């Protein structure tokens, strides 16, 4: 993500009640980092997900992302979403246990020489149990198997509070910060009204 925007001036800036504002941090690695050991797998595995249906993909996307206000793929037009997830330069992996999909990893190689860690998320039942390290190790291995010079990701303060530090421990280096303002999807019905309870909804009086 290399968008050029006019920096905000110092001070407070009002955000409309129906909107959300979040601080986005962009991170990158330009060389493969030293490997970090996997914790015990506890029945978990990571598998390439070939040709998921739109319903299957959106179901997992919501499962791992709705409480962090992931919305883009949940509401994206079918044709546009299908074009992305069926693109041979986009690789999708899932974390599995007992035949159930509990994690989503999406690597986007559509820009030559680069890989974007487009989506990385786990079911709430796996957070804090070491599953994230297993999934990230797969992400790093698969990204650097290709002839890339840059692997990058962006996160925001609406994500899990440990996400930014986790990316840094994994070898990503912060290089840019932005403020994003967007419509609160809980107020439009695009996500369930009680999603992301840690981040309150503000409603116009």
């Amino acid at each position: 993500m290399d968008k050029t925007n006019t920096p905000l001036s110092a001070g407070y800036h009002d955000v409309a009640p129906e909107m959300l504002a979040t601080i986005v941090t962009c991170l990158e690695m330009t060389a493969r980092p030293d490997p970090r050991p996997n914790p015990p797998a506890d029945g978990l595995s990571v598998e390439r997900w070939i040709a998921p249906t739109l319903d299957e993909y959106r179901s997992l996307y919501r499962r791992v992302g709705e409480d962090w206000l992931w919305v883009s793929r949940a509401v994206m037009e079918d044709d546009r979403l299908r074009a992305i997830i069926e693109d041979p330069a986009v690789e999708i992996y899932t974390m599995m246990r007992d035949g159930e999909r509990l994690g989503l990893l999406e690597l986007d190689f559509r820009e030559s020489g680069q890989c974007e860690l487009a989506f990385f998320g786990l079911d709430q039942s796996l957070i804090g149990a070491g599953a994230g390290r297993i999934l990230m190790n797969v992400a790093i291995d698969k990204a650097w198997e290709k002839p890339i010079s840059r692997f990058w990701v962006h996160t925001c303060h609406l994500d899990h509070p440990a996400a930014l530090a986790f990316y840094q421990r994994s070898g990503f280096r912060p290089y840019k910060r932005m403020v994003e303002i967007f419509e609160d999807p809980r107020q439009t019905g695009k996500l369930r009204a009680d999603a992301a309870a840690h981040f309150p909804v503000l409603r116009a009086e």
Side-chain angles (χ1 to χ4, degrees):
M1 179 175 290
D2 293 305
K3 296 180 180 177
T4 301
N5 299 297
T6 302
L8 291 171
S9 59
Y12 294 98
H13 301 269
D14 285 344
V15 178
E18 70 276 9
M19 306 296 283
L20 292 173
T22 183
I23 299 171
V24 178
T25 301
C26 304
L27 307 99
E28 64 183 358
M29 59 173 71
T30 55
R32 185 172 188 152
D34 293 333
R36 296 177 64 94
N38 277 332
D42 193 26
L44 297 170
S45 63
V46 180
E47 301 177 6
R48 179 81 181 268
W49 197 10
I50 303 295
T53 67
L54 296 183
D55 286 346
E56 289 172 334
Y57 179 92
R58 286 191 176 116
S59 177
L60 182 59
Y61 178 91
R62 285 181 177 273
R63 178 171 187 167
V64 304
E66 196 162 38
D67 278 328
W68 313 113
L69 296 180
W70 291 14
V71 67
S72 61
R73 297 290 176 82
V75 300
M76 186 177 287
E77 299 88 347
D78 285 356
D79 288 347
R80 185 180 171 201
L81 178 57
R82 185 178 294 108
I84 294 171
I85 66 177
E86 293 182 359
D87 193 306
V90 174
E91 298 184 2
I92 303 172
Y93 299 83
T94 61
M95 176 159 274
M96 306 288 294
R97 184 168 63 193
D98 298 328
E100 186 177 16
R101 294 188 179 93
L102 297 173
L104 174 65
L105 164 63
E106 187 170 323
L107 301 175
D108 188 339
F109 295 94
R110 288 179 295 173
E111 186 168 351
S112 178
Q114 300 191 35
C115 178
E116 178 189 0
L117 180 56
F119 290 101
F120 183 95
L122 296 169
D123 182 79
Q124 291 274 17
S125 66
L126 296 183
I127 293 176
R133 174 53 52 205
I134 295 171
L135 194 61
M136 179 57 75
N137 285 348
V138 171
I140 292 170
D141 286 346
K142 297 300 181 182
W144 290 102
E145 283 178 358
K146 301 292 199 315
I148 64 169
S149 58
R150 180 173 180 255
F151 186 26
W152 70 276
V153 64
H154 70 271
T155 186
C156 73
H157 85 278
L158 296 177
D159 285 340
H160 191 282
L164 182 56
F166 174 77
Y167 288 132
Q168 291 179 269
R169 288 196 304 273
S170 299
F172 289 96
R173 178 186 61 82
Y175 69 92
K176 184 170 184 165
R177 187 174 292 121
M178 298 181 292
V179 173
E180 181 183 10
I181 297 176
F182 63 100
E183 187 179 63
D184 187 341
R186 299 167 298 183
Q187 299 198 52
T188 61
K190 293 177 180 177
L191 294 184
R192 69 177 198 273
D194 63 345
H198 63 288
F199 201 82
V201 175
L202 298 182
R203 301 189 185 276
E205 296 296 335

